[in-house]
Amino acid sequence: EAQVTQNPRYLITVTGKKLTVTCSQNMNHEYMSWYRQDPGLGLRQIYYSMNVEVTDKGDVPEGYKVSRKEKRNFPLILESPSPNQTSLYFCASSSRDSSYEQYFGPGTRLTVT
Amino acid sequence: AQSVAQPEDQVNVAEGNPLTVKCTYSVSGNPYLFWYVQYPNRGLQFLLKYITGDNLVKGSYGFEAEFNKSQTSFHLKKPSALVSDSALYFCAVRDGWTGGFKTIFGAGTRLFVKA
């Protein structure tokens, strides 16, 4: 089954404790993105990747890091989480062949206290 | 700079009536336009897209959207609403000319369909 998986699905952590949210897709898509969803703000793109070792900032990259060492994986790293990073995070993948429609993961709900 | 506006936070419609969810956009190059739907406690699902060609595009679950270049709009429509259409709808735009993958989403419109 074609899918995007994210782990963990739920995470409660404390300020400053480094964390990684994993994202993996099995569709051989070249494009991957991370978004955060906040009430009234819709989805905001954090980072995106156009292929292995090619990443670029979205609209809200501050406080986040990404890497794309393999085509299928695109982890999101929060080196020093803060309460304003409490949000619902989505990973998505896409392909030129499908005219860039995005396939989304199930989401990760992160709470930073 | 790219931007997307969904002017209505909420749209209410009776089952069986037509529905419209509005979206306007701003992009410097060639717009790639998308609609996504989010059901409660679920991820986002793709509904339809406009890349090029016919201005009226048809998508999943009986939805369609019309690309209007002069009004920079991409409104989502359905001739007859179902209660099961109740969800959060997002319009998104990508600049097709920049070569990047920067994608802007609107704030979302919550659709309520009453039986």
Side-chain angles (χ1 to χ4, degrees):
Chain A
E1 179 191 355
Q3 60 182 348
V4 178
T5 56
Q6 295 178 227
N7 282 291
R9 295 288 313 279
Y10 302 91
L11 180 60
I12 300 174
T13 189
V14 296
T15 299
K17 186 177 181 181
K18 181 179 178 179
L19 66 92
T20 299
V21 184
T22 64
C23 173
S24 183
Q25 50 96 3
N26 63 359
M27 296 167 279
N28 200 37
H29 284 171
E30 61 269 34
Y31 296 91
M32 298 186 75
S33 285
W34 276 104
Y35 297 89
R36 59 178 289 173
Q37 182 179 10
D38 300 289
L41 297 176
L43 276 79
R44 293 178 292 168
Q45 194 175 38
I46 302 170
Y47 271 95
Y48 64 87
S49 169
M50 296 175 67
N51 217 321
V52 175
E53 302 291 3
V54 181
T55 62
D56 206 350
K57 296 176 181 178
D59 267 353
V60 288
E62 295 79 19
Y64 304 95
K65 284 177 59 177
V66 293
S67 67
R68 187 96 180 271
K69 293 183 169 52
E70 304 167 282
K71 197 171 186 179
R72 63 182 292 125
N73 296 323
F74 191 44
L76 179 70
I77 302 159
L78 284 71
E79 295 266 0
S80 183
S82 62
N84 64 12
Q85 293 179 298
T86 292
S87 188
L88 179 58
Y89 291 85
F90 288 102
C91 179
S93 73
S94 178
S95 169
R96 185 194 304 263
D97 291 343
S98 64
S99 298
Y100 309 108
E101 67 189 65
Q102 295 188 70
Y103 294 76
F104 284 82
T108 296
R109 186 166 293 282
L110 172 65
T111 301
V112 183
T113 61
Chain B
Q2 299 166 224
S3 66
V4 174
Q6 293 183 242
E8 301 152 319
D9 291 336
Q10 184 172 310
V11 170
N12 298 307
V13 64
E15 189 174 34
N17 283 0
L19 70 88
T20 298
V21 183
K22 295 179 180 177
C23 172
T24 58
Y25 67 91
S26 174
V27 65
S28 55
N30 193 36
Y32 289 10
L33 295 155
F34 305 85
W35 277 101
Y36 293 88
V37 59
Q38 185 178 33
Y39 297 103
N41 301 314
R42 301 273 297 275
L44 281 82
Q45 298 176 30
F46 167 78
L47 272 182
L48 50 78
K49 65 190 172 196
Y50 172 83
I51 305 296
T52 187
D54 194 350
N55 289 345
L56 183 65
V57 294
K58 295 186 183 297
S60 307
Y61 312 122
F63 284 93
E64 58 188 30
E66 186 164 12
F67 170 63
N68 187 318
K69 187 173 183 178
S70 63
Q71 296 185 5
T72 60
S73 67
F74 190 57
H75 301 331
L76 181 69
K77 300 182 180 184
K78 188 173 183 182
S80 179
L82 300 172
V83 172
S84 57
D85 292 330
S86 298
L88 186 57
Y89 290 82
F90 291 99
C91 181
V93 66
R94 180 194 159 217
D95 187 334
W97 282 359
T98 63
F101 198 59
K102 194 166 186 181
T103 305
I104 303 296
F105 278 75
T109 298
R110 193 166 294 280
L111 174 67
F112 287 102
V113 182
K114 187 176 180 180

